[in-house]
Amino acid sequence: MKCFPVPDTRNIDLGVSVGTRLTIRLPDDFHHHCRDGLKTKTVLQHACLRVGRCLMMPNTNPPITTTEMALEYKQHILRSMPDDQNYPNFEPLMVLYLTDKTKAEEITKAHAAGIVGVKFYPAGATTNSDFGVTDIQNCYGALRELDRLNMMLCIHSEVTHADIFEREPIFIEEIMKPLADDFPNLKMTMEHISTMDAVDYVLSASNNIKASITCHHLLYNRNDMLVGGIKPHLYCLPILKSESHRQALVKAAISGSPKFFLGTDSAPHSRDAKESCCGCAGVFTAHALLELYTETFDKHGQLSKLEDFCSSFGADHYGLPRNTATLTLEKTSWKVPMSYDFGDDLYLRGLRAGEEIKWKLVEEETGNKKKPKLDQQSV
């Protein structure tokens, strides 16, 4: 890998004029954390407005390792939906947490119950991943059944033994390429890719291997997190990389390639857990996920590619029908509140807290609920 200094192009704006409206099919989020307990309801009030299907991550405490646990968690999510409105198009999609001990029989049972896949966390790679996989070959029996049933392997694509900025490229060489050779037809998603190496690999890989990209990896680089003081609310895993990697991700997202699609990895943590001497990894974006993606596509003059990235390519990869409901955004600035409720008398800080976002949802034209009450302050 060769990384060269490149100019920061974020001041270049090819966007449309203020007041422009854009209607697209309802997006899906193929990587979302809605936590558990009372926290779930506070997270869902943001996600339900903006997406149809929502792939719920299983790294809860304890992790979702069995079909019964996944179904119970799904019911918890459905019981935690906001009370004041109906969300006819919102659907939580469930995956199991893969471990060294996951059996093929569990995969068979999960498939029969409507679970769409499993999540491969290398042990210790991220939040609540201590029960993850120590050697992927320990899971080959489960993966063969996953392959047979045409289910998805969702992958946190980082090793744990390397420098934090090099973990994704090393994962590709040491784990991803051998895995793809051993399972040439298994559907795989490299989630929240963060490097030009991952972009290049996914583009070169067979069509069963695709990738999700977060809005924060499209908008920010490691200088944003570190220069002028540490910004704990930009700390995530995979960690933000250099500007050259960010630009590669943007190029991939706006290219129109069906290899890349929306997956927010919106990961809420309370403010005290983030703003501490050992802060948690995760960026909360559910409060403005679609608005933030739209900013990136707009400023590069590629709004025509937004719908496929958000609403088509992920559904196609998962073998799901594209949504028929729509929502509308308008290029009107609003100011993000400094904090949001997080249950249990806790609060969390969303991305761009106290700052402006240039796009907002149009309340009366949001297809996922009638007359949504958005906490957006126009400026």
Side-chain angles (χ1 to χ4, degrees), residues 19-166:
T20 298
R21 288 193 171 191
L22 175 69
T23 298
I24 64 171
R25 284 192 311 276
L26 190 65
D28 299 308
D29 184 358
F30 287 100
H31 188 132
H32 204 89
H33 297 270
C34 71
R35 305 308 187 206
D36 44 23
L38 296 176
K39 297 180 178 68
T40 302
K41 187 171 186 176
T42 66
V43 174
L44 288 175
Q45 67 180 338
H46 304 286
C48 290
L49 292 173
R50 293 169 172 85
V51 297
R53 276 119 7 167
C54 204
L55 190 71
M56 300 301 185
M57 291 296 102
N59 60 331
T60 52
N61 188 14
I64 309 298
T65 56
T66 68
T67 301
E68 290 77 12
M69 294 176 74
L71 295 177
E72 181 179 342
Y73 188 39
K74 183 175 183 178
Q75 287 306 307
H76 166 70
I77 292 168
L78 294 173
R79 289 192 300 267
S80 301
M81 298 283 284
D83 299 325
D84 59 339
Q85 294 284 350
N86 180 36
Y87 296 83
N89 299 302
F90 184 81
E91 179 186 3
L93 301 178
M94 311 311 292
V95 292
L96 297 186
Y97 184 114
L98 187 66
T99 75
D100 289 340
K101 298 180 180 179
T102 303
K103 303 297 183 184
E105 294 79 8
E106 192 64 53
I107 303 300
T108 308
K109 186 188 300 185
H111 179 263
I115 293 166
V116 300
V118 301
K119 179 63 180 281
F120 167 22
Y121 293 101
T126 189
T127 303
N128 291 345
S129 63
D130 292 343
F131 297 96
V133 175
T134 63
D135 185 339
I136 190 60
Q137 292 192 6
N138 294 336
C139 307
Y140 270 23
L143 296 188
R144 281 190 286 270
E145 184 67 356
L146 203 72
D147 189 8
R148 185 183 75 83
L149 295 170
N150 200 34
M151 296 171 73
M152 186 69 66
L153 178 63
C154 307
I155 307 172
H156 183 110
S157 308
E158 292 188 294
V159 297
T160 58
H161 60 76
D163 181 275
I164 196 167
F165 292 105
E166 303 297 332

Side-chain angles (χ1 to χ4, degrees), residues 210-226:
K210 298 181 181 179
S212 63
I213 306 177
T214 77
C215 49
H216 49 280
H217 284 101
L218 292 175
L219 291 165
Y220 297 96
N221 63 38
R222 63 191 183 192
N223 279 1
D224 297 310
M225 180 178 62
L226 297 172

Side-chain angles (χ1 to χ4, degrees), residues 196-213:
M196 63 178 70
D197 308 76
V199 170
D200 291 344
Y201 173 71
V202 170
L203 286 172
S204 68
S206 56
N207 199 47
N208 56 303
I209 299 173
K210 298 181 181 179
S212 63
I213 306 177

Side-chain angles (χ1 to χ4, degrees), residues 266-281:
S266 178
H269 295 281
S270 63
R271 288 191 64 173
D272 61 339
K274 290 289 290 180
E275 299 170 5
S276 70
C277 60
C278 188
C280 296

